[in-house]
Coordinates of all heavy atoms in Angstrom, one line a residue:
S1 N -20.0 -25.7 6.6 CA -21.4 -25.5 6.2 C -22.2 -24.9 7.3 O -21.8 -24.8 8.5 CB -22.0 -26.8 5.7 OG -22.3 -27.6 6.8
Q2 N -23.4 -24.5 7.0 CA -24.3 -23.9 8.0 C -24.6 -24.9 9.2 O -24.7 -24.5 10.3 CB -25.6 -23.4 7.4 CG -26.3 -22.5 8.2 CD -27.5 -21.8 7.4 OE1 -27.9 -22.4 6.4 NE2 -28.0 -20.7 7.9
A3 N -24.7 -26.2 8.9 CA -25.0 -27.1 9.9 C -23.9 -27.2 10.9 O -24.1 -27.3 12.1 CB -25.3 -28.5 9.3
I4 N -22.7 -27.2 10.4 CA -21.5 -27.2 11.3 C -21.4 -26.0 12.2 O -21.2 -26.0 13.4 CB -20.2 -27.5 10.5 CG1 -20.2 -28.9 9.9 CG2 -19.0 -27.3 11.4 CD1 -19.1 -29.1 8.9
L5 N -21.6 -24.8 11.5 CA -21.5 -23.5 12.2 C -22.6 -23.4 13.3 O -22.4 -22.8 14.3 CB -21.6 -22.4 11.2 CG -20.4 -22.1 10.4 CD1 -20.6 -21.0 9.4 CD2 -19.1 -21.8 11.2
S6 N -23.8 -24.0 13.0 CA -24.9 -23.9 14.0 C -24.6 -24.6 15.3 O -25.2 -24.4 16.3 CB -26.2 -24.4 13.4 OG -26.1 -25.8 13.1
Q7 N -23.6 -25.4 15.3 CA -23.2 -26.2 16.5 C -22.3 -25.3 17.5 O -22.1 -25.7 18.6 CB -22.4 -27.4 16.1 CG -23.2 -28.4 15.3 CD -22.3 -29.6 14.9 OE1 -21.2 -29.7 15.3 NE2 -22.9 -30.4 14.0
F8 N -21.8 -24.2 17.0 CA -21.0 -23.3 17.8 C -21.7 -22.1 18.2 O -22.6 -21.6 17.6 CB -19.7 -22.9 17.0 CG -18.9 -24.0 16.6 CD1 -19.0 -24.6 15.3 CD2 -17.9 -24.5 17.5 CE1 -18.1 -25.7 14.9 CE2 -17.1 -25.6 17.1 CZ -17.2 -26.2 15.8
Q9 N -21.3 -21.6 19.4 CA -21.8 -20.3 19.9 C -20.8 -19.2 19.6 O -19.6 -19.4 19.8 CB -22.1 -20.4 21.4 CG -23.3 -21.3 21.7 CD -23.7 -21.2 23.2 OE1 -22.8 -20.8 24.0 NE2 -24.9 -21.5 23.6
F10 N -21.3 -18.1 19.1 CA -20.4 -17.0 18.8 C -20.9 -15.8 19.7 O -22.1 -15.5 19.8 CB -20.5 -16.6 17.3 CG -20.0 -17.7 16.4 CD1 -20.9 -18.6 15.8 CD2 -18.7 -17.7 16.1 CE1 -20.4 -19.5 14.9 CE2 -18.2 -18.7 15.3 CZ -19.0 -19.6 14.7
C11 N -19.9 -15.1 20.2 CA -20.2 -13.9 21.0 C -19.9 -12.7 20.0 O -18.8 -12.5 19.5 CB -19.2 -13.8 22.2 SG -19.5 -15.1 23.4
L12 N -21.0 -12.0 19.7 CA -20.9 -10.9 18.8 C -21.2 -9.6 19.6 O -22.1 -9.6 20.5 CB -21.9 -11.0 17.7 CG -21.7 -12.2 16.8 CD1 -22.9 -12.3 15.8 CD2 -20.4 -12.1 16.0
P13 N -20.5 -8.5 19.3 CA -20.8 -7.3 19.9 C -22.1 -6.7 19.4 O -22.6 -7.2 18.4 CB -19.6 -6.4 19.5 CG -19.0 -7.0 18.3 CD -19.3 -8.4 18.4
P14 N -22.7 -5.8 20.1 CA -23.9 -5.2 19.7 C -23.8 -4.6 18.3 O -22.7 -4.2 17.8 CB -24.2 -4.1 20.7 CG -23.3 -4.4 21.9 CD -22.2 -5.2 21.4
I15 N -24.9 -4.5 17.6 CA -24.9 -3.9 16.2 C -24.1 -2.6 16.1 O -23.4 -2.4 15.2 CB -26.3 -3.8 15.6 CG1 -26.9 -5.2 15.5 CG2 -26.3 -3.1 14.3 CD1 -26.3 -6.1 14.5
K16 N -24.4 -1.7 17.0 CA -23.8 -0.4 17.0 C -22.2 -0.5 17.0 O -21.5 0.1 16.2 CB -24.2 0.5 18.2 CG -23.7 1.9 18.2 CD -24.2 2.7 19.4 CE -23.6 4.0 19.4 NZ -24.0 4.8 20.5
E17 N -21.8 -1.4 17.9 CA -20.3 -1.6 18.0 C -19.8 -2.3 16.7 O -18.7 -2.0 16.2 CB -20.0 -2.4 19.2 CG -18.5 -2.5 19.5 CD -18.2 -3.2 20.8 OE1 -19.1 -3.5 21.6 OE2 -17.0 -3.6 20.9
Q18 N -20.5 -3.2 16.1 CA -20.1 -3.9 14.9 C -20.0 -2.8 13.8 O -19.1 -2.9 13.0 CB -21.2 -4.9 14.5 CG -21.2 -6.1 15.4 CD -22.2 -7.1 14.9 OE1 -22.4 -7.4 13.7 NE2 -22.9 -7.8 15.9
K19 N -20.9 -1.9 13.7 CA -20.9 -0.8 12.7 C -19.7 0.1 12.9 O -19.0 0.5 12.0 CB -22.2 0.0 12.7 CG -23.4 -0.7 12.2 CD -24.6 0.1 12.2 CE -25.8 -0.7 11.6 NZ -27.0 0.0 11.6
Q20 N -19.3 0.4 14.2 CA -18.2 1.2 14.5 C -16.9 0.5 14.0 O -16.0 1.1 13.5 CB -18.1 1.5 16.0 CG -19.1 2.5 16.4 CD -19.2 2.7 18.0 OE1 -18.7 1.8 18.7 NE2 -19.7 3.8 18.4
I21 N -16.8 -0.8 14.3 CA -15.7 -1.6 13.9 C -15.5 -1.6 12.4 O -14.5 -1.4 11.8 CB -15.8 -3.1 14.5 CG1 -15.7 -3.1 16.0 CG2 -14.7 -4.0 13.8 CD1 -16.0 -4.4 16.7
A22 N -16.7 -1.8 11.7 CA -16.7 -1.9 10.2 C -16.2 -0.5 9.7 O -15.4 -0.5 8.8 CB -18.0 -2.2 9.7
E23 N -16.7 0.6 10.3 CA -16.3 1.9 9.8 C -14.8 2.1 10.0 O -14.1 2.7 9.2 CB -17.1 3.0 10.6 CG -16.9 4.4 10.1 CD -17.8 5.4 10.8 OE1 -18.9 5.0 11.1 OE2 -17.3 6.5 11.0
F24 N -14.3 1.7 11.2 CA -12.9 1.9 11.5 C -12.1 1.1 10.5 O -11.1 1.6 9.9 CB -12.6 1.3 12.9 CG -11.2 1.3 13.3 CD1 -10.5 2.4 13.7 CD2 -10.5 0.1 13.2 CE1 -9.2 2.4 14.0 CE2 -9.1 0.0 13.5 CZ -8.5 1.2 13.9
L25 N -12.5 -0.1 10.2 CA -11.7 -0.9 9.2 C -11.8 -0.3 7.8 O -10.7 -0.3 7.1 CB -12.3 -2.4 9.2 CG -12.0 -3.2 10.5 CD1 -12.7 -4.5 10.4 CD2 -10.5 -3.4 10.7
I26 N -12.9 0.1 7.4 CA -13.0 0.7 6.1 C -12.2 2.0 6.0 O -11.5 2.1 5.0 CB -14.5 1.1 5.8 CG1 -15.3 -0.2 5.5 CG2 -14.6 2.0 4.6 CD1 -16.8 -0.1 5.5
N27 N -12.2 2.8 7.0 CA -11.3 4.0 7.0 C -9.8 3.6 6.9 O -9.1 4.3 6.1 CB -11.6 4.9 8.2 CG -12.9 5.6 8.1 OD1 -13.5 5.8 7.1 ND2 -13.4 6.0 9.3
N28 N -9.4 2.6 7.6 CA -8.0 2.2 7.6 C -7.6 1.6 6.3 O -6.5 1.8 5.8 CB -7.7 1.3 8.8 CG -7.5 2.1 10.1 OD1 -6.7 3.0 10.1 ND2 -8.2 1.7 11.1
I29 N -8.5 0.9 5.7 CA -8.3 0.3 4.4 C -8.1 1.4 3.4 O -7.2 1.4 2.5 CB -9.4 -0.7 4.0 CG1 -9.3 -2.0 4.8 CG2 -9.3 -1.1 2.5 CD1 -10.4 -2.9 4.7
N30 N -9.0 2.4 3.4 CA -8.9 3.5 2.5 C -7.6 4.3 2.6 O -7.0 4.6 1.6 CB -10.1 4.5 2.7 CG -11.4 3.9 2.2 OD1 -11.4 3.0 1.4 ND2 -12.5 4.4 2.7
Q31 N -7.2 4.5 3.9 CA -5.9 5.2 4.1 C -4.8 4.3 3.6 O -3.8 4.9 2.9 CB -5.7 5.4 5.6 CG -6.6 6.5 6.2 CD -6.4 6.7 7.7 OE1 -5.8 5.9 8.3 NE2 -7.0 7.8 8.2
S32 N -4.8 3.0 3.8 CA -3.8 2.1 3.3 C -3.7 2.2 1.8 O -2.7 2.2 1.2 CB -4.0 0.7 3.8 OG -3.9 0.6 5.2
D33 N -4.9 2.2 1.1 CA -5.0 2.2 -0.3 C -4.3 3.5 -0.8 O -3.6 3.5 -1.9 CB -6.4 2.1 -0.8 CG -7.0 0.7 -0.7 OD1 -6.2 -0.2 -0.5 OD2 -8.2 0.6 -0.8
Q34 N -4.6 4.6 -0.2 CA -4.1 5.9 -0.6 C -2.5 5.9 -0.5 O -1.8 6.4 -1.3 CB -4.7 7.0 0.2 CG -6.1 7.3 -0.1 CD -6.7 8.4 0.8 OE1 -6.1 8.9 1.8 NE2 -8.0 8.6 0.6
L35 N -2.0 5.3 0.6 CA -0.6 5.3 0.8 C 0.1 4.4 -0.2 O 1.1 4.7 -0.7 CB -0.3 4.7 2.2 CG -0.6 5.7 3.4 CD1 -0.4 5.0 4.7 CD2 0.3 6.9 3.3
I36 N -0.6 3.3 -0.5 CA 0.0 2.4 -1.6 C 0.0 3.1 -2.9 O 1.0 3.0 -3.6 CB -0.9 1.1 -1.7 CG1 -0.7 0.2 -0.4 CG2 -0.6 0.3 -2.9 CD1 -1.7 -0.9 -0.2
Q37 N -1.0 3.9 -3.2 CA -1.0 4.6 -4.5 C 0.1 5.6 -4.5 O 0.8 5.8 -5.6 CB -2.4 5.3 -4.7 CG -3.5 4.3 -5.1 CD -3.2 3.4 -6.2 OE1 -2.7 3.9 -7.3 NE2 -3.4 2.1 -6.1
Q38 N 0.4 6.3 -3.4 CA 1.5 7.3 -3.3 C 2.8 6.6 -3.5 O 3.7 7.1 -4.2 CB 1.4 8.0 -2.0 CG 0.3 9.0 -1.8 CD 0.3 9.6 -0.4 OE1 1.1 9.3 0.4 NE2 -0.8 10.4 -0.2
I39 N 3.0 5.4 -2.9 CA 4.2 4.7 -3.1 C 4.4 4.2 -4.5 O 5.5 4.3 -5.0 CB 4.2 3.5 -2.1 CG1 4.3 4.0 -0.7 CG2 5.4 2.5 -2.4 CD1 4.1 2.9 0.4
I40 N 3.4 3.8 -5.1 CA 3.4 3.4 -6.5 C 3.9 4.5 -7.4 O 4.7 4.4 -8.3 CB 2.1 2.7 -7.0 CG1 1.9 1.4 -6.3 CG2 2.1 2.6 -8.5 CD1 0.5 0.8 -6.5
K41 N 3.3 5.7 -7.2 CA 3.6 6.9 -8.0 C 5.1 7.3 -7.8 O 5.8 7.6 -8.7 CB 2.7 8.1 -7.6 CG 1.3 8.0 -8.2 CD 0.5 9.1 -7.8 CE -0.9 9.0 -8.3 NZ -1.8 10.1 -7.8
K42 N 5.5 7.3 -6.5 CA 6.9 7.6 -6.2 C 7.9 6.6 -6.8 O 8.9 7.0 -7.3 CB 7.1 7.8 -4.7 CG 6.4 9.0 -4.2 CD 6.6 9.2 -2.7 CE 5.9 10.5 -2.3 NZ 6.2 10.9 -1.0
N43 N 7.5 5.3 -6.7 CA 8.4 4.3 -7.3 C 8.5 4.5 -8.8 O 9.6 4.3 -9.4 CB 7.8 2.9 -7.0 CG 8.7 1.8 -7.3 OD1 9.9 1.9 -7.2 ND2 8.2 0.6 -7.6
S44 N 7.4 4.9 -9.4 CA 7.4 5.1 -10.9 C 8.4 6.3 -11.2 O 9.1 6.2 -12.2 CB 6.0 5.4 -11.4 OG 6.0 5.7 -12.7
K45 N 8.3 7.3 -10.4 CA 9.2 8.5 -10.6 C 10.6 8.1 -10.4 O 11.5 8.6 -11.1 CB 8.8 9.6 -9.7 CG 7.4 10.3 -10.1 CD 7.3 11.6 -9.5 CE 6.0 12.2 -9.9 NZ 6.0 12.8 -11.2
I46 N 10.9 7.3 -9.4 CA 12.3 6.8 -9.2 C 12.8 6.0 -10.4 O 13.9 6.2 -10.8 CB 12.4 6.0 -7.9 CG1 12.2 7.0 -6.7 CG2 13.7 5.3 -7.7 CD1 12.0 6.2 -5.3
K47 N 12.0 5.1 -10.9 CA 12.4 4.3 -12.0 C 12.6 5.2 -13.2 O 13.6 5.0 -14.0 CB 11.3 3.3 -12.4 CG 11.3 2.1 -11.4 CD 10.2 1.1 -11.8 CE 10.1 0.0 -10.9 NZ 9.1 -1.0 -11.3
E48 N 11.8 6.2 -13.4 CA 12.0 7.2 -14.5 C 13.3 7.9 -14.4 O 14.0 8.1 -15.3 CB 10.8 8.1 -14.5 CG 10.7 9.1 -15.7 CD 9.5 10.0 -15.6 OE1 8.4 9.5 -15.3 OE2 9.7 11.2 -15.8
F49 N 13.6 8.4 -13.2 CA 14.8 9.1 -12.9 C 16.0 8.2 -13.2 O 17.0 8.6 -13.8 CB 14.9 9.6 -11.5 CG 16.2 10.2 -11.1 CD1 16.6 11.4 -11.5 CD2 17.0 9.5 -10.2 CE1 17.8 11.9 -11.2 CE2 18.3 10.0 -9.9 CZ 18.7 11.2 -10.4
M50 N 16.0 6.9 -12.7 CA 17.1 6.0 -12.9 C 17.3 5.7 -14.4 O 18.4 5.7 -14.8 CB 16.8 4.7 -12.1 CG 16.8 4.8 -10.6 SD 18.4 5.3 -10.0 CE 19.4 3.9 -10.4
N51 N 16.2 5.6 -15.1 CA 16.4 5.3 -16.6 C 17.0 6.6 -17.2 O 17.9 6.4 -18.1 CB 15.0 5.1 -17.2 CG 14.5 3.7 -16.9 OD1 15.3 2.8 -16.5 ND2 13.2 3.5 -16.9
S52 N 16.6 7.7 -16.8 CA 17.2 9.0 -17.4 C 18.6 9.1 -17.0 O 19.5 9.5 -17.8 CB 16.4 10.2 -16.8 OG 17.0 11.4 -17.2
L53 N 19.0 8.8 -15.8 CA 20.4 8.8 -15.3 C 21.2 7.8 -16.1 O 22.3 8.2 -16.5 CB 20.4 8.6 -13.8 CG 21.8 8.6 -13.1 CD1 22.4 10.0 -13.3 CD2 21.7 8.3 -11.7
T54 N 20.7 6.6 -16.2 CA 21.5 5.6 -17.0 C 21.7 6.1 -18.4 O 22.8 5.9 -18.9 CB 20.7 4.3 -17.0 OG1 20.5 3.9 -15.6 CG2 21.4 3.2 -17.7
L55 N 20.7 6.6 -19.0 CA 20.8 7.1 -20.4 C 21.9 8.2 -20.5 O 22.7 8.2 -21.4 CB 19.5 7.6 -20.9 CG 19.5 8.1 -22.4 CD1 19.8 6.9 -23.3 CD2 18.1 8.7 -22.7
S56 N 21.9 9.1 -19.5 CA 22.8 10.2 -19.5 C 24.2 9.7 -19.3 O 25.2 10.2 -20.0 CB 22.5 11.2 -18.4 OG 21.3 11.8 -18.6
V57 N 24.4 8.7 -18.5 CA 25.8 8.1 -18.3 C 26.2 7.4 -19.6 O 27.3 7.5 -20.1 CB 25.8 7.1 -17.1 CG1 27.1 6.3 -17.1 CG2 25.6 7.9 -15.8
V58 N 25.3 6.6 -20.2 CA 25.7 5.8 -21.4 C 26.0 6.7 -22.6 O 26.9 6.4 -23.3 CB 24.5 4.8 -21.7 CG1 24.7 4.1 -23.1 CG2 24.4 3.7 -20.6
T59 N 25.2 7.7 -22.7 CA 25.4 8.6 -23.9 C 26.6 9.6 -23.6 O 26.9 10.4 -24.5 CB 24.1 9.4 -24.2 OG1 23.7 10.2 -23.1 CG2 23.1 8.4 -24.6
G60 N 27.1 9.6 -22.4 CA 28.3 10.5 -22.1 C 27.9 11.9 -21.7 O 28.7 12.8 -21.5
K61 N 26.6 12.1 -21.4 CA 26.2 13.5 -20.9 C 26.6 13.7 -19.5 O 26.8 14.8 -19.1 CB 24.7 13.6 -21.0 CG 24.1 13.7 -22.4 CD 22.6 13.8 -22.4 CE 22.1 13.8 -23.9 NZ 20.7 13.9 -23.9
I62 N 26.9 12.6 -18.8 CA 27.4 12.7 -17.4 C 28.7 11.8 -17.4 O 28.7 10.7 -17.8 CB 26.4 12.1 -16.4 CG1 25.1 12.9 -16.3 CG2 27.0 12.1 -15.0 CD1 24.1 12.4 -15.4
D63 N 29.8 12.4 -17.0 CA 31.1 11.8 -16.9 C 31.2 11.1 -15.5 O 31.3 11.8 -14.5 CB 32.2 12.7 -17.2 CG 33.5 12.1 -17.3 OD1 33.6 10.8 -17.2 OD2 34.6 12.8 -17.4
V64 N 31.3 9.8 -15.5 CA 31.4 9.1 -14.2 C 32.8 8.4 -14.1 O 33.0 7.6 -13.1 CB 30.3 8.1 -14.0 CG1 29.0 8.8 -13.9 CG2 30.3 7.1 -15.1
R65 N 33.7 8.7 -14.9 CA 35.0 8.0 -14.9 C 35.8 8.3 -13.6 O 36.5 7.4 -13.1 CB 35.9 8.4 -16.1 CG 35.3 7.9 -17.4 CD 36.2 8.3 -18.5 NE 35.9 9.8 -18.7 CZ 36.3 10.5 -19.7 NH1 37.2 10.0 -20.6 NH2 36.0 11.8 -19.8
E66 N 35.6 9.4 -13.0 CA 36.4 9.7 -11.8 C 35.5 9.7 -10.5 O 35.8 10.2 -9.5 CB 37.1 11.0 -11.9 CG 38.2 11.0 -13.0 CD 39.0 12.3 -13.0 OE1 39.1 13.0 -12.0 OE2 39.5 12.6 -14.1
A67 N 34.3 9.2 -10.7 CA 33.4 9.1 -9.5 C 33.9 8.1 -8.5 O 34.5 7.1 -8.8 CB 32.0 8.6 -10.0
V68 N 33.7 8.5 -7.2 CA 34.2 7.7 -6.1 C 33.0 6.8 -5.7 O 31.9 7.2 -5.6 CB 34.5 8.6 -4.9 CG1 34.9 7.7 -3.7 CG2 35.6 9.6 -5.2
V69 N 33.3 5.5 -5.6 CA 32.3 4.5 -5.3 C 32.5 4.1 -3.8 O 33.5 3.9 -3.3 CB 32.4 3.3 -6.2 CG1 31.4 2.2 -5.8 CG2 32.3 3.7 -7.6

């Protein structure tokens, strides 16, 4: 609570530096979000490819009887 927190002293950087830190964090979060979205899209394409490949094997469009494992 506020009463408990008021018992402690906190060292805070100047406002300008706090704003720089906040900007840095926001930029990095945005970059991370963009990378996550790219990974999600690529993962979706991989799943789509795997489903297509499985269907092709099951329906006999691709012969895997002599495939080396």
